[in-house]
Amino acid sequence: MSLYVDIKKSLGDFDLNIKFEANQEVLALLGASGCGKSMTLKCIAGIEKPDYGIIKLDDHILFDSERKINLPPQKRKVGYLFQNYALFPNMTVAENIAFVVQGSKQDKIKAVTEKIKMFCLEGLENLYPVQLSGGQQQRVAFARILASETKLLMLDEPFSALDSYLKWQLEQELTSLLETYQRATLFVSHDRDEVYRICDRIAVMTKGNIDVIRTKHELFESPETLAGTILTGCKNISTAKKIDDHTVFAEEWELELQVEHLVSDNVQYVGFRAHFFSFAQKEKNIFEAEIVRVVEDTFSFIVMVRPKGSNAKPLRWELEKDQWRSLDQTKLFLSIPEDKIILMKK
């Protein structure tokens, strides 16, 4: 199953200008609130109409502005799972599933029986949504989507209103369900950890545009753009200037850094993740650190440091509590490994 999207839509504050393709995978749309993630899904589902472009699912045209094609939502075979799962409150589990099945009464009975078994809902057939747990509601919503013979699944922040414990339980169930789906899935979120655990590829969105699309491993190892680096959770970012092919000057940290990768002429920022500091004295990029602040987190310490004697912007360093307590904090030398430095353009 292949989804192709190339659309534009004016949103007032900015224009949605999206182009991507998704195959048999879980593709994340990762971005800050208000960047156009949900609007993209609504355009694909037929809830909103783009101003211009084309949306194609396999050989099935869902929208084409030039050919004046704009299929209604019920004809797009797109499953759109909202945060609250959008189950009909006045229908039982079985009735919710049967509602979307096309065909005779026997077809509906057969589909309901299959989906009840597939999603482990035996014994819940005659219960209403209010009588179900969050996990059960999620499974019913998935069962209903698949019973409609959807060719594309779209999930719009399905865990955002849940507490951390329930969120984790539902995430495990969702991961198992997606493994059996075997079709294209779009997953909208602003939670980088959630996206990393669930998705195969990630499209980074900012103000209606896709900055970059990469596999999750490629994106977290080398985000390339400032927006991508921030969204992947990097806490240490400084403006930078190229010195030579393997050296940059991090202006805000007041550090000259040797870099493993080739430094391009358009580099503007340098980044470094807070848990990658090293104590190896033979490595490059060593500096004597001055401790600015120590913050105790739940299971770690967050230590803000900067080159001793400077007024540089502090860097964030995260380490386990036992490790921090065992260190000689009076004379502290840290190294920024060459292969862990992130180079970015804007």
Side-chain angles (χ1 to χ4, degrees), residues 100-129:
V100 300
V101 179
Q102 303 296 316
S104 65
K105 182 177 180 180
Q106 282 67 34
D107 292 331
K108 291 179 179 288
I109 292 173
K110 180 181 178 182
V112 169
T113 302
E114 289 177 350
K115 296 303 181 286
I116 289 291
K117 183 177 180 180
M118 179 185 296
F119 291 96
C120 303
L121 295 167
E122 294 93 337
L124 305 178
E125 295 92 331
N126 298 317
L127 297 183
Y128 291 90

Side-chain angles (χ1 to χ4, degrees), residues 175-190:
T175 302
S176 297
L177 295 176
L178 290 177
E179 289 172 356
T180 65
Y181 185 59
Q182 298 296 306
R183 293 179 180 177
T185 299
L186 299 184
F187 187 91
V188 159
S189 179
H190 60 267

Side-chain angles (χ1 to χ4, degrees), residues 136-277:
Q136 291 167 341
Q137 288 183 35
Q138 186 188 64
R139 293 205 302 273
V140 175
F142 268 95
R144 188 178 65 180
I145 286 174
L146 297 190
S148 66
E149 298 183 353
T150 177
K151 293 184 178 181
L152 171 69
L153 180 60
M154 302 194 300
L155 310 173
D156 194 352
E157 304 211 38
F159 310 130
S160 61
L162 304 176
D163 63 66
S164 59
Y165 178 78
L166 181 56
K167 176 180 176 179
W168 175 250
Q169 301 303 313
L170 297 190
E171 183 182 311
Q172 299 310 296
E173 295 190 19
L174 171 62
T175 302
S176 297
L177 295 176
L178 290 177
E179 289 172 356
T180 65
Y181 185 59
Q182 298 296 306
R183 293 179 180 177
T185 299
L186 299 184
F187 187 91
V188 159
S189 179
H190 60 267
D191 186 324
R192 57 95 192 244
D193 294 327
E194 184 178 279
V195 162
Y196 192 89
R197 292 189 296 264
I198 294 173
C199 302
D200 302 305
R201 288 196 303 148
I202 301 172
V204 175
M205 285 188 65
T206 55
K207 292 187 177 180
N209 292 277
I210 292 179
D211 273 5
V212 62
I213 301 181
R214 311 190 75 183
T215 68
K216 62 183 178 184
H217 297 106
E218 290 171 340
L219 181 65
F220 276 76
E221 288 174 10
S222 182
E224 290 189 347
T225 66
L226 178 61
T229 303
I230 292 171
L231 286 169
T232 58
C234 184
K235 301 297 191 299
N236 295 320
I237 297 174
S238 168
T239 53
K241 286 186 177 180
K242 177 179 177 178
I243 296 177
D244 59 42
D245 286 346
H246 290 280
T247 312
V248 295
F249 182 67
E251 297 173 306
E252 294 173 61
W253 306 333
E254 299 180 16
L255 289 172
E256 185 174 303
L257 301 172
Q258 300 295 306
V259 183
E260 181 181 69
H261 304 292
L262 187 68
V263 180
S264 66
D265 292 334
N266 65 349
V267 66
Q268 292 179 275
Y269 298 91
V270 62
F272 181 72
R273 299 192 188 277
H275 53 283
F276 281 155
F277 279 104

